[in-house]
Amino acid sequence: MTTYEHILVETPAAGVGLVRLNEPRTFNALTGPLMHELMSALEAFDADEAIGCMVLTGTPKVFAAGADIKEMAQATPVELMQKAFIARWEKLRTLRKPVIAAVSGYALGGGCELALACDMIVASETAVFGQPEINLGVIPGAGGTQRLARTVGKALAMEMCLNDRRLTAAEAERFGLVNRVAPVESYLDEAIALAAQIAARAPLAVRLAKEAVNMALETPLNAGLAYERNLFYALFATKDQKEGMAAFLEKRQPHWSGE
């Protein structure tokens, strides 16, 4: 297994790949080296046939407090573009398998954007979500404005991005930002359990369901319906579709092959 300096990687349950941000001294600041390792680890899990779902987490006290300001303070636009400062984040969108963010403590700035880029979020009761970039004279640059508006609506996204409004875990759940809230002692276990449940389902159907839901955020309804329909038809060419429907008719548990 690859050795990392800024993250920890493990498989805590069958079919589940776990990545922990591991820079407590900087509150898991999303430096270039950390983001490089994170994307490499997620891509490795995505390519591993034994993994069906991934979990991304920090520590109980902080998920990620944002980007590394020292890394950016004196940067020029050209330097940021040449270093692909934000482009590396786009690798998250290319992952075929679901990623669940397990968030406790602060998820601010880039940390909030990282959680938003995942497919689902399980939060602890202490989680706080925010986009405080306005305090630094800039705006979110890794999807914060776009994903927040699509998730919590225009008015609240405006307040978060223009005036540093922060959401508690309970508020985040109420506004649809997170799937569920759990005690600090069990939030990660809940995220892993959710990932294990998903990993135990038909792999191809899970991947295409993720693809279809994401497409709903990017296309008009008619185009999204056509896209969904084509994916639905395509699954009838898989062994898992035959197995799943046979198992239902025979009143037994299906045995997925991923084919």
Side-chain angles (χ1 to χ4, degrees), residues 101 103 107 111-113 115-123 127-131 144 147-153 156-157 160 165-181:
V103 178
C112 185
E113 291 174 303
L116 284 168
C118 295
D119 300 300
M120 287 165 275
I121 302 175
V122 174
V128 178
F129 298 86
Q131 298 290 167
R147 291 191 173 98
L148 276 175
R150 286 165 168 78
T151 304
V152 302
L156 185 53
M160 292 179 71
R165 163 77 182 273
R166 301 186 185 187
L167 301 183
T168 64
E171 289 174 322
E173 184 178 33
R174 185 165 78 247
F175 291 119
L177 186 68
V178 307
N179 294 73
R180 63 192 67 170
V181 177

Side-chain angles (χ1 to χ4, degrees), residues 163-213:
N163 201 39
D164 192 15
R165 163 77 182 273
R166 301 186 185 187
L167 301 183
T168 64
E171 289 174 322
E173 184 178 33
R174 185 165 78 247
F175 291 119
L177 186 68
V178 307
N179 294 73
R180 63 192 67 170
V181 177
V184 177
E185 298 78 16
S186 61
Y187 80 99
L188 182 55
D189 290 337
E190 288 217 17
I192 292 170
L194 176 59
Q197 291 170 357
I198 294 170
R201 301 189 183 279
L204 292 175
V206 167
R207 294 174 197 174
L208 294 193
K210 168 180 171 171
E211 193 174 317
V213 171

Side-chain angles (χ1 to χ4, degrees), residues 35-256:
M35 290 300 296
H36 175 74
E37 289 190 358
L38 171 60
M39 296 306 164
S40 295
L42 291 174
E43 288 179 318
F45 277 140
D46 200 44
D48 187 343
E49 292 184 2
I51 299 299
C53 190
M54 294 165 273
V55 175
L56 169 60
T57 195
T59 70
K61 292 184 178 180
V62 59
F63 177 70
D68 184 358
I69 305 305
K70 291 180 181 179
E71 198 175 56
M72 295 189 296
Q74 301 302 320
T76 67
V78 171
E79 288 172 343
L80 292 175
M81 286 186 286
Q82 288 178 334
K83 293 179 180 178
F85 182 72
I86 292 175
R88 64 170 67 93
W89 292 60
E90 289 301 299
K91 291 184 179 181
L92 266 172
R93 299 184 66 210
T94 69
L95 298 175
R96 302 168 301 158
K97 300 170 186 175
V99 182
I100 300 171
V103 178
S104 187
Y106 290 108
L108 302 178
C112 185
E113 291 174 303
L114 183 60
L116 284 168
C118 295
D119 300 300
M120 287 165 275
I121 302 175
V122 174
S124 87
E125 294 170 333
T126 66
V128 178
F129 298 86
Q131 298 290 167
E133 288 88 348
I134 197 74
N135 299 328
L136 302 175
V138 294
I139 67 171
T145 63
Q146 302 304 297
R147 291 191 173 98
L148 276 175
R150 286 165 168 78
T151 304
V152 302
K154 174 187 173 182
L156 185 53
M158 284 286 190
E159 191 175 0
M160 292 179 71
C161 295
L162 276 62
N163 201 39
D164 192 15
R165 163 77 182 273
R166 301 186 185 187
L167 301 183
T168 64
E171 289 174 322
E173 184 178 33
R174 185 165 78 247
F175 291 119
L177 186 68
V178 307
N179 294 73
R180 63 192 67 170
V181 177
V184 177
E185 298 78 16
S186 61
Y187 80 99
L188 182 55
D189 290 337
E190 288 217 17
I192 292 170
L194 176 59
Q197 291 170 357
I198 294 170
R201 301 189 183 279
L204 292 175
V206 167
R207 294 174 197 174
L208 294 193
K210 168 180 171 171
E211 193 174 317
V213 171
N214 281 334
M215 188 60 66
L217 302 176
E218 301 179 7
T219 60
L221 179 59
N222 283 342
L225 290 171
Y227 192 81
E228 175 194 75
R229 185 165 55 247
N230 288 334
L231 295 182
F232 172 77
Y233 291 154
L235 285 168
F236 279 74
T238 67
K239 293 181 180 178
D240 278 348
Q241 175 269 324
K242 301 297 185 289
E243 166 63 11
M245 293 190 176
F248 177 83
L249 294 172
E250 296 165 11
K251 296 180 172 57
R252 61 175 176 80
Q253 289 297 312
H255 300 285
W256 308 120

